[in-house]
């Protein structure tokens, strides 16, 4: 299922999230993924530790997923690997109920989630997650920004997010404070308040380590994702109590 959503499986991700037993055992398991006909090596010779689904595997998972993502090109493997590690840890920590990748959204092409990134050009959120909270679903977008983009591109995406009612907030996870500042400047230039659609900022190294406890700078406070989820649940319980009073 993971490979269908992301389009690839790396040996690093396999070892951290899916392999079981001793090192020798996990190495055998890795080899059997190919020998059993479920995976094949990526077509690029530079990707010796990257597997993709075979036609046999695609037929099996096709009925279980909305879309099967295409393998990413070499230029975004680092980005997609880090994004995979973050979302798999979020899932393992029980922070999210479900998640959808940009690769899946590109195939499904829902107009309600399109973001204009260039004139006559669209992108989708890097990752769309549904928080593990009671009641009505809360969907957030996560943008993993490993390199700085132009102010115009940030402004275009900001305006697009303002028009997406299905997305309740956006987290920008970046490696440096410089990129955070560039995105915040784009917000100011677009005359958009960071609280108009709550925007959070975090650092990649912290989110790769522990998404639940990683710092999250929100418009009104510094918090963490686990605290934010707890607050949403608490407020919803209080609202329900008032209704029943």
């Amino acid at each position: 299922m993971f490979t269908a959503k992301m389009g690839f499986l790396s040996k690093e991700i396999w070892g951290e999230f899916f392999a079981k037993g001793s090192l020798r055992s996990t190495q055998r398991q890795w080899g059997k993924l190919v020998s059993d006909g479920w995976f094949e090596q990526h077509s690029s010779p530079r990707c010796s530790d990257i597997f993709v689904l075979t036609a046999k595997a695609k037929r099996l998972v096709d009925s279980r997923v909305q879309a099967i993502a295409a393998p990413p090109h070499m230029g975004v493997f680092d980005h997609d690997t880090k994004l995979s590690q973050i979302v798999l840890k979020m899932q393992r920590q029980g922070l999210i109920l479900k998640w959808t990748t940009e690769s899946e959204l590109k195939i499904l092409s829902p107009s309600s989630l399109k973001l204009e990134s260039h004139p006559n050009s669209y992108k989708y959120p890097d990752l769309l997650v549904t928080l593990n909270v009671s009641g009505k679903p809360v969907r957030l977008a996560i943008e993993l920004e490993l390199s700085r983009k132009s102010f115009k591109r940030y402004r275009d995406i900001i305006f697009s997010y303002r028009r997406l009612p299905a997305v309740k907030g956006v987290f920008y996870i970046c490696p440096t404070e410089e990129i955070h500042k560039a995105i915040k400047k784009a917000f100011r230039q677009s005359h958009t308040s960071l609280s108009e659609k709550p925007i959070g900022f975090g650092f990649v190294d912290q989110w790769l380590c522990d998404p639940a406890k990683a710092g999250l700078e929100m418009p009104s406070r510094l918090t963490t994702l686990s605290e934010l989820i707890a607050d949403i649940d608490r407020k919803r319980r209080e609202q329900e109590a008032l209704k029943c009073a």
Side-chain angles (χ1 to χ4, degrees), residues 120-181:
N120 303 315
S121 175
Y122 294 91
K123 75 176 287 294
Y124 289 96
D126 285 348
L127 189 67
L128 198 63
V129 301
T130 303
L131 297 184
N132 187 6
V133 296
S134 58
K136 188 176 179 181
V138 177
R139 290 204 294 179
L140 300 176
I142 294 179
E143 296 287 352
L144 182 60
E145 290 289 304
L146 298 183
S147 60
R148 180 173 166 174
K149 310 295 192 303
S150 70
F151 286 122
K152 184 181 185 310
R153 185 170 182 186
Y154 285 134
R155 285 198 302 270
D156 289 342
I157 292 174
I158 287 163
F159 279 125
S160 294
Y161 268 123
R162 289 171 64 182
R163 298 193 295 268
L164 298 188
V167 178
K168 300 305 180 184
V170 187
F171 295 165
Y172 281 95
I173 311 301
C174 311
T176 66
E177 181 64 29
E178 177 191 7
I179 300 176
H180 285 176
K181 289 179 178 178

Side-chain angles (χ1 to χ4, degrees), residues 232-243:
I232 293 172
D233 261 336
R234 176 181 53 78
K235 289 176 182 177
R236 288 185 168 185
R237 286 195 301 270
E238 290 174 351
Q239 289 170 356
E240 284 300 314
L242 287 173
K243 288 179 184 178

Side-chain angles (χ1 to χ4, degrees), residues 163-208:
R163 298 193 295 268
L164 298 188
V167 178
K168 300 305 180 184
V170 187
F171 295 165
Y172 281 95
I173 311 301
C174 311
T176 66
E177 181 64 29
E178 177 191 7
I179 300 176
H180 285 176
K181 289 179 178 178
I183 297 169
K184 292 173 184 177
K185 182 177 180 180
F187 269 89
R188 290 195 298 272
Q189 290 184 353
S190 65
H191 304 290
T192 302
S193 167
L194 290 172
S195 57
E196 185 174 328
K197 179 169 295 237
I199 307 296
F201 294 91
F203 289 104
V204 174
D205 56 349
Q206 295 180 19
W207 279 71
L208 283 171

